[in-house]
Amino acid sequence: MGMKVGVVMGSTSDLGVMKGAFEILDQFGVEYEKRVLSAHRTPHALEQWVKEAEERGVVAFIAGAGGAAHLAGVVAAFTTRPVIAVPITSKLLGLDSLLAMVQMPSGIPVATVAIDGAKNASLLAIEMMAITDTALQQKLKDFRETQAAKILATEI
Ligand code: RP5
């Protein structure tokens, strides 16, 4: 069974930001599952999805949510796979989402990226998978080289 990433967001209103996560995963040819599930609106369905996703080969989860953003923490409560949190811009400019995610109490960690940092969330998940996947490691090196070349070629 191939390694997959599980991407979940609390609402369809998060989709605009979370599309960035899909773009990177597509670019690297990494398989993923994507769902809209909420920690407070659909807690039982969320628990079921996390457990079943693991059985289907999901090795890392990405959770995007805004406001009182407990989605990533709740996902992490149901799995020992790494969970990456994406704080989504909100009425409080995403500061509420950021603090809710980054301030996980000791014992159940989540790795929080920047506000709206969906692309970095996918890159981090890919870096985790690349530990045991040399082809992915090479793709990451190529990605960084391309990125650097673009900057060095920029004329202002
Ligand atoms: C969270 O509340 C979602 O992750 C979203 O960022 C925020 C607002 O959700 P909607 O009211 O737009 O559905 O659960």
Side-chain angles (χ1 to χ4, degrees):
M1 189 166 50
M3 290 191 289
K4 289 200 282 188
V5 176
V7 184
V8 63
M9 65 201 81
S11 167
T12 49
S13 64
D14 301 320
L15 198 53
V17 169
M18 294 308 290
K19 275 183 182 159
F22 307 145
E23 277 170 30
I24 294 289
L25 294 168
D26 287 335
Q27 193 178 329
F28 279 80
V30 168
E31 277 188 69
Y32 57 95
E33 297 188 9
K34 54 181 195 285
R35 292 293 301 271
V36 177
L37 288 166
S38 162
H40 47 275
R41 291 169 177 154
T42 64
H44 302 297
L46 177 65
E47 177 179 15
Q48 195 178 347
W49 175 71
V50 171
K51 290 180 175 165
E52 290 175 1
E54 246 190 65
E55 287 163 17
R56 287 190 294 267
V58 167
V59 296
F61 289 89
I62 294 172
H70 34 237
L71 182 61
V74 173
V75 169
F78 294 131
T79 182
T80 54
R81 305 284 194 216
V83 177
I84 302 163
V86 183
I88 306 280
T89 296
S90 64
K91 286 179 184 162
L92 300 181
L93 307 176
L95 198 56
D96 44 353
S97 326
L98 172 67
L99 295 178
M101 287 172 153
V102 84
Q103 284 296 97
M104 275 298 289
S106 180
I108 307 288
V110 306
T112 305
V113 294
I115 294 169
D116 295 344
K119 289 188 178 186
N120 265 2
S122 285
L123 286 169
L124 191 54
I126 291 165
E127 287 180 5
M128 290 167 184
M129 295 163 88
I131 293 169
T132 56
D133 184 328
T134 48
L136 264 188
Q137 263 172 46
Q138 190 54 52
K139 283 185 189 177
L140 281 166
K141 283 179 189 158
D142 294 345
F143 176 87
R144 290 196 180 193
E145 269 174 33
T146 305
Q147 183 170 250
K150 269 187 207 157
I151 293 169
L152 295 173
T154 304
E155 285 178 33
I156 53 169

